Amino acid sequence: GDSVTQMEGPVTLSEEAFLTINCTYTATGYPSLFWYVQYPGEGLQLLLKATKADDKGSNKGFEATYRKETTSFHLEKGSVQVSDSAVYFCALSDRTGRRALTFGSGTRLQVQP
Amino acid sequence: NAGVTQTPKFQVLKTGQSMTLQCAQDMNHNSMYWYRQDPGMGLRLIYYSASEGTTDKGEVPNGYNVSRLNKREFSLRLESAAPSQTSVYFCASSEDQGNIQYFGAGTRLSVL
């Protein structure tokens, strides 16, 4: 079945550091890919998405590129802020059937001032 | 604009008790979902409803039942709660296309 693998956390960075959170996936067909973010005590919010190979999703300074050849969707940000501290989830959605999301286990990011 | 609303936010149950988690969305979405979130495991799908009047099992349905009461509301019932059901439960909804899901704030459930 479908699966998503994320790098384990926590990831601890200083403010203005460069961020990469790795995500790889296994799926049949051509899934849509997502990054969701969960701030403390809240539900998940969509951060960005990509629906086909070589698409780049971007939002709030975060970017991720759909790489079909490496089955990856790594999240990057050039300069993190304390307010970016949260848990980040990579997810995929198949294009048929139930259209539910398959999530990775999440990566906690802690940004220190 | 409320989005997806879940009640209650917190609940403590004793083993064997029953309860219903409520979820409502005001975005006129066709599809609704229930997930559980456990440490180190991401979110796992319990049940989903592709459209009003239909429900289907997800990855971890055992011990749960659901009701799609109307287009807005999708409830999750625990008939006889067990400690293994201690978790954070999230409801989500989406349109048919795009597959972007919108999540509620969650219900934190403890079963003693």
Side-chain angles (χ1 to χ4, degrees):
Chain A
D2 297 346
S3 66
V4 176
T5 302
Q6 288 181 237
M7 60 187 293
E8 291 190 16
V11 174
T12 303
L13 296 174
S14 298
E15 208 164 21
E16 300 184 1
F18 184 86
L19 169 70
T20 299
I21 300 178
N22 290 337
C23 171
T24 57
Y25 67 90
T26 302
T28 55
Y30 302 96
S32 295
L33 301 175
F34 305 83
W35 278 100
Y36 279 82
V37 58
Q38 183 180 30
Y39 298 102
E42 299 183 9
L44 281 71
Q45 305 173 24
L46 177 69
L47 182 59
L48 53 85
K49 72 167 188 172
T51 58
K52 63 182 186 295
D54 299 325
D55 265 3
K56 177 184 283 188
S58 61
N59 186 26
K60 300 181 181 180
F62 291 89
E63 293 182 341
T65 301
Y66 190 143
R67 300 291 189 196
K68 182 172 177 293
E69 64 277 14
T70 55
T71 61
S72 65
F73 192 54
H74 304 322
L75 182 68
E76 297 182 334
K77 186 175 186 183
S79 177
V80 294
Q81 305 299 313
V82 173
S83 57
D84 294 327
S85 298
V87 181
Y88 293 82
F89 291 93
C90 185
L92 67 82
S93 175
D94 62 44
R95 296 177 187 273
T96 62
R98 67 190 188 195
R99 299 185 181 180
L101 294 171
T102 299
F103 286 89
S105 57
T107 302
R108 181 175 299 280
L109 170 65
Q110 298 174 333
V111 181
Q112 298 176 338
Chain B
N1 189 1
V4 179
T5 303
Q6 291 183 235
T7 55
K9 294 190 186 310
F10 301 95
Q11 185 70 49
V12 178
L13 294 177
K14 295 180 180 179
T15 298
Q17 287 185 316
S18 63
M19 79 161 295
T20 299
L21 281 64
Q22 306 287 351
C23 175
Q25 52 92 7
D26 62 3
M27 296 173 282
N28 201 37
H29 286 169
N30 288 313
S31 300
M32 297 186 74
Y33 310 83
W34 276 105
Y35 294 89
R36 60 178 288 173
Q37 182 181 29
D38 300 296
M41 300 185 73
L43 278 74
R44 293 180 292 169
L45 182 68
I46 305 171
Y47 270 92
Y48 69 100
S49 171
S51 61
E52 184 179 356
T54 69
T55 62
D56 211 338
K57 296 178 180 179
E59 185 183 352
V60 288
N62 291 345
Y64 305 95
N65 285 301
V66 290
S67 295
R68 184 73 182 270
L69 304 170
N70 47 54
K71 192 170 186 179
R72 290 186 65 248
E73 298 173 286
F74 188 40
S75 62
L76 178 71
R77 183 161 178 83
L78 286 70
E79 291 291 351
S80 179
S84 61
Q85 294 178 305
T86 293
S87 188
V88 181
Y89 292 85
F90 288 101
C91 178
S93 70
S94 69
E95 297 182 55
D96 290 332
Q97 298 178 355
N99 296 327
I100 296 173
Q101 294 188 14
Y102 298 84
F103 286 78
T107 295
R108 187 174 296 274
L109 175 67
S110 294
V111 183
L112 305 178

Short mmCIF file of all heavy atoms in Angstrom, two decimals, chain B residues 56-85:
data_model
loop_
_atom_site.label_atom_id
_atom_site.label_comp_id
_atom_site.label_asym_id
_atom_site.label_seq_id
_atom_site.Cartn_x
_atom_site.Cartn_y
_atom_site.Cartn_z
N ASP B 56 -17.33 4.49 4.86
CA ASP B 56 -16.49 3.33 4.56
C ASP B 56 -15.32 3.29 5.53
O ASP B 56 -14.94 4.33 6.10
CB ASP B 56 -15.96 3.37 3.13
CG ASP B 56 -15.77 1.97 2.55
OD1 ASP B 56 -15.65 1.02 3.35
OD2 ASP B 56 -15.74 1.84 1.33
N LYS B 57 -14.78 2.08 5.70
CA LYS B 57 -13.70 1.88 6.67
C LYS B 57 -12.38 2.41 6.13
O LYS B 57 -12.10 2.33 4.94
CB LYS B 57 -13.57 0.39 6.99
CG LYS B 57 -14.78 -0.19 7.68
CD LYS B 57 -14.59 -1.68 7.94
CE LYS B 57 -15.82 -2.27 8.63
NZ LYS B 57 -15.68 -3.72 8.87
N GLY B 58 -11.57 2.89 7.08
CA GLY B 58 -10.22 3.28 6.75
C GLY B 58 -9.23 2.25 7.23
O GLY B 58 -9.50 1.05 7.21
N GLU B 59 -8.11 2.72 7.72
CA GLU B 59 -7.00 1.85 8.12
C GLU B 59 -7.23 1.18 9.47
O GLU B 59 -6.85 0.03 9.67
CB GLU B 59 -5.73 2.71 8.17
CG GLU B 59 -4.45 1.96 8.45
CD GLU B 59 -3.26 2.91 8.55
OE1 GLU B 59 -3.42 4.12 8.25
OE2 GLU B 59 -2.17 2.46 8.93
N VAL B 60 -7.87 1.89 10.41
CA VAL B 60 -8.01 1.38 11.78
C VAL B 60 -9.45 1.53 12.27
O VAL B 60 -9.73 2.26 13.23
CB VAL B 60 -7.02 2.09 12.74
CG1 VAL B 60 -5.61 1.63 12.49
CG2 VAL B 60 -7.14 3.61 12.62
N PRO B 61 -10.43 0.83 11.69
CA PRO B 61 -11.84 1.04 12.04
C PRO B 61 -12.34 0.28 13.27
O PRO B 61 -13.42 0.59 13.80
CB PRO B 61 -12.56 0.53 10.79
CG PRO B 61 -11.67 -0.59 10.31
CD PRO B 61 -10.26 -0.12 10.59
N ASN B 62 -11.58 -0.72 13.72
CA ASN B 62 -12.10 -1.59 14.79
C ASN B 62 -12.37 -0.81 16.08
O ASN B 62 -11.52 -0.07 16.55
CB ASN B 62 -11.12 -2.72 15.05
CG ASN B 62 -11.06 -3.70 13.90
OD1 ASN B 62 -11.93 -3.70 13.03
ND2 ASN B 62 -10.01 -4.51 13.87
N GLY B 63 -13.56 -1.02 16.64
CA GLY B 63 -13.94 -0.36 17.88
C GLY B 63 -14.67 0.95 17.69
O GLY B 63 -15.03 1.61 18.66
N TYR B 64 -14.89 1.32 16.42
CA TYR B 64 -15.54 2.60 16.10
C TYR B 64 -16.72 2.39 15.15
O TYR B 64 -16.75 1.45 14.38
CB TYR B 64 -14.56 3.56 15.42
CG TYR B 64 -13.29 3.81 16.17
CD1 TYR B 64 -12.14 3.08 15.89
CD2 TYR B 64 -13.22 4.80 17.14
CE1 TYR B 64 -10.95 3.31 16.57
CE2 TYR B 64 -12.04 5.05 17.82
CZ TYR B 64 -10.91 4.30 17.53
OH TYR B 64 -9.74 4.55 18.20
N ASN B 65 -17.67 3.31 15.24
CA ASN B 65 -18.74 3.42 14.24
C ASN B 65 -18.91 4.88 13.88
O ASN B 65 -18.55 5.76 14.67
CB ASN B 65 -20.07 2.86 14.79
CG ASN B 65 -20.06 1.36 14.84
OD1 ASN B 65 -19.90 0.69 13.82
ND2 ASN B 65 -20.22 0.80 16.03
N VAL B 66 -19.47 5.12 12.70
CA VAL B 66 -19.67 6.50 12.26
C VAL B 66 -21.08 6.67 11.71
O VAL B 66 -21.74 5.71 11.32
CB VAL B 66 -18.66 6.91 11.18
CG1 VAL B 66 -17.25 7.04 11.77
CG2 VAL B 66 -18.69 5.96 10.00
N SER B 67 -21.48 7.93 11.68
CA SER B 67 -22.77 8.29 11.07
C SER B 67 -22.58 9.60 10.31
O SER B 67 -22.09 10.58 10.88
CB SER B 67 -23.85 8.48 12.14
OG SER B 67 -24.13 7.29 12.81
N ARG B 68 -22.95 9.57 9.02
CA ARG B 68 -22.99 10.83 8.26
C ARG B 68 -24.43 11.31 8.35
O ARG B 68 -25.30 10.91 7.58
CB ARG B 68 -22.57 10.58 6.82
CG ARG B 68 -22.48 11.85 5.98
CD ARG B 68 -21.30 12.68 6.33
NE ARG B 68 -21.21 13.91 5.60
CZ ARG B 68 -20.58 14.08 4.44
NH1 ARG B 68 -19.97 13.04 3.89
NH2 ARG B 68 -20.55 15.26 3.86
N LEU B 69 -24.68 12.17 9.28
CA LEU B 69 -26.04 12.59 9.61
C LEU B 69 -26.66 13.41 8.50
O LEU B 69 -27.87 13.33 8.25
CB LEU B 69 -26.00 13.38 10.92
CG LEU B 69 -25.35 12.63 12.10
CD1 LEU B 69 -25.14 13.57 13.28
CD2 LEU B 69 -26.20 11.43 12.50
N ASN B 70 -25.87 14.24 7.88
CA ASN B 70 -26.28 15.06 6.74
C ASN B 70 -25.00 15.54 6.09
O ASN B 70 -23.90 15.08 6.46
CB ASN B 70 -27.17 16.23 7.21
CG ASN B 70 -26.57 16.95 8.40
OD1 ASN B 70 -25.42 17.38 8.34
ND2 ASN B 70 -27.31 17.03 9.48
N LYS B 71 -25.09 16.47 5.17
CA LYS B 71 -23.88 16.88 4.47
C LYS B 71 -22.90 17.56 5.43
O LYS B 71 -21.68 17.49 5.26
CB LYS B 71 -24.23 17.81 3.32
CG LYS B 71 -23.06 18.04 2.37
CD LYS B 71 -23.50 18.78 1.12
CE LYS B 71 -22.34 18.86 0.15
NZ LYS B 71 -22.72 19.54 -1.11
N ARG B 72 -23.37 18.23 6.43
CA ARG B 72 -22.53 19.00 7.34
C ARG B 72 -21.88 18.17 8.44
O ARG B 72 -20.79 18.50 8.89
CB ARG B 72 -23.36 20.10 8.02
CG ARG B 72 -23.81 21.24 7.15
CD ARG B 72 -24.48 22.30 7.99
NE ARG B 72 -23.54 22.92 8.92
CZ ARG B 72 -23.58 22.79 10.24
NH1 ARG B 72 -24.51 22.03 10.82
NH2 ARG B 72 -22.71 23.40 11.02
N GLU B 73 -22.54 17.11 8.89
CA GLU B 73 -22.15 16.48 10.14
C GLU B 73 -21.70 15.03 9.97
O GLU B 73 -22.35 14.24 9.25
CB GLU B 73 -23.31 16.54 11.13
CG GLU B 73 -23.73 17.96 11.48
CD GLU B 73 -24.99 17.96 12.33
OE1 GLU B 73 -26.08 17.69 11.78
OE2 GLU B 73 -24.86 18.22 13.54
N PHE B 74 -20.65 14.69 10.69
CA PHE B 74 -20.08 13.33 10.60
C PHE B 74 -19.60 12.97 12.00
O PHE B 74 -18.63 13.53 12.49
CB PHE B 74 -18.92 13.34 9.60
CG PHE B 74 -18.36 11.99 9.28
CD1 PHE B 74 -19.16 10.87 9.11
CD2 PHE B 74 -16.98 11.83 9.06
CE1 PHE B 74 -18.63 9.64 8.77
CE2 PHE B 74 -16.44 10.60 8.71
CZ PHE B 74 -17.26 9.51 8.56
N SER B 75 -20.28 12.03 12.66
CA SER B 75 -19.97 11.71 14.04
C SER B 75 -19.23 10.38 14.14
O SER B 75 -19.40 9.49 13.30
CB SER B 75 -21.25 11.67 14.88
OG SER B 75 -22.11 10.65 14.41
N LEU B 76 -18.43 10.27 15.19
CA LEU B 76 -17.65 9.06 15.46
C LEU B 76 -18.06 8.53 16.83
O LEU B 76 -18.02 9.27 17.82
CB LEU B 76 -16.15 9.39 15.47
CG LEU B 76 -15.19 8.24 15.79
CD1 LEU B 76 -15.14 7.25 14.63
CD2 LEU B 76 -13.79 8.78 16.08
N ARG B 77 -18.43 7.26 16.90
CA ARG B 77 -18.90 6.69 18.15
C ARG B 77 -17.98 5.57 18.62
O ARG B 77 -17.60 4.69 17.84
CB ARG B 77 -20.33 6.17 18.01
CG ARG B 77 -20.90 5.63 19.32
CD ARG B 77 -22.40 5.54 19.30
NE ARG B 77 -22.91 4.97 20.55
CZ ARG B 77 -23.10 5.66 21.67
NH1 ARG B 77 -22.83 6.96 21.72
NH2 ARG B 77 -23.59 5.07 22.76
N LEU B 78 -17.69 5.62 19.91
CA LEU B 78 -17.00 4.54 20.58
C LEU B 78 -18.03 3.82 21.44
O LEU B 78 -18.57 4.40 22.38
CB LEU B 78 -15.87 5.07 21.47
CG LEU B 78 -14.60 5.58 20.80
CD1 LEU B 78 -14.84 6.88 20.06
CD2 LEU B 78 -13.50 5.76 21.84
N GLU B 79 -18.35 2.60 21.12
CA GLU B 79 -19.42 1.88 21.83
C GLU B 79 -18.96 1.39 23.19
O GLU B 79 -19.70 1.41 24.15
CB GLU B 79 -19.90 0.70 20.99
CG GLU B 79 -20.65 1.08 19.74
CD GLU B 79 -22.02 1.70 20.04
OE1 GLU B 79 -22.47 1.67 21.20
OE2 GLU B 79 -22.65 2.22 19.08
N SER B 80 -17.72 0.93 23.29
CA SER B 80 -17.18 0.41 24.54
C SER B 80 -15.69 0.78 24.56
O SER B 80 -14.86 0.06 24.02
CB SER B 80 -17.37 -1.10 24.62
OG SER B 80 -16.81 -1.61 25.82
N ALA B 81 -15.40 1.91 25.18
CA ALA B 81 -14.05 2.47 25.08
C ALA B 81 -13.01 1.56 25.74
O ALA B 81 -13.27 0.92 26.78
CB ALA B 81 -14.02 3.85 25.72
N ALA B 82 -11.83 1.53 25.13
CA ALA B 82 -10.70 0.76 25.64
C ALA B 82 -9.49 1.68 25.78
O ALA B 82 -9.39 2.69 25.06
CB ALA B 82 -10.37 -0.38 24.68
N PRO B 83 -8.56 1.38 26.69
CA PRO B 83 -7.36 2.22 26.85
C PRO B 83 -6.59 2.43 25.55
O PRO B 83 -5.98 3.49 25.36
CB PRO B 83 -6.54 1.46 27.88
CG PRO B 83 -7.56 0.73 28.71
CD PRO B 83 -8.63 0.33 27.73
N SER B 84 -6.64 1.45 24.64
CA SER B 84 -5.94 1.58 23.35
C SER B 84 -6.54 2.68 22.48
O SER B 84 -5.94 3.06 21.46
CB SER B 84 -5.97 0.25 22.59
OG SER B 84 -7.31 -0.13 22.33
N GLN B 85 -7.71 3.17 22.85
CA GLN B 85 -8.35 4.24 22.08
C GLN B 85 -7.99 5.63 22.63
O GLN B 85 -8.48 6.64 22.12
CB GLN B 85 -9.86 4.05 22.04
CG GLN B 85 -10.25 2.80 21.26
CD GLN B 85 -11.75 2.55 21.25
OE1 GLN B 85 -12.38 2.47 22.31
NE2 GLN B 85 -12.30 2.42 20.06
#
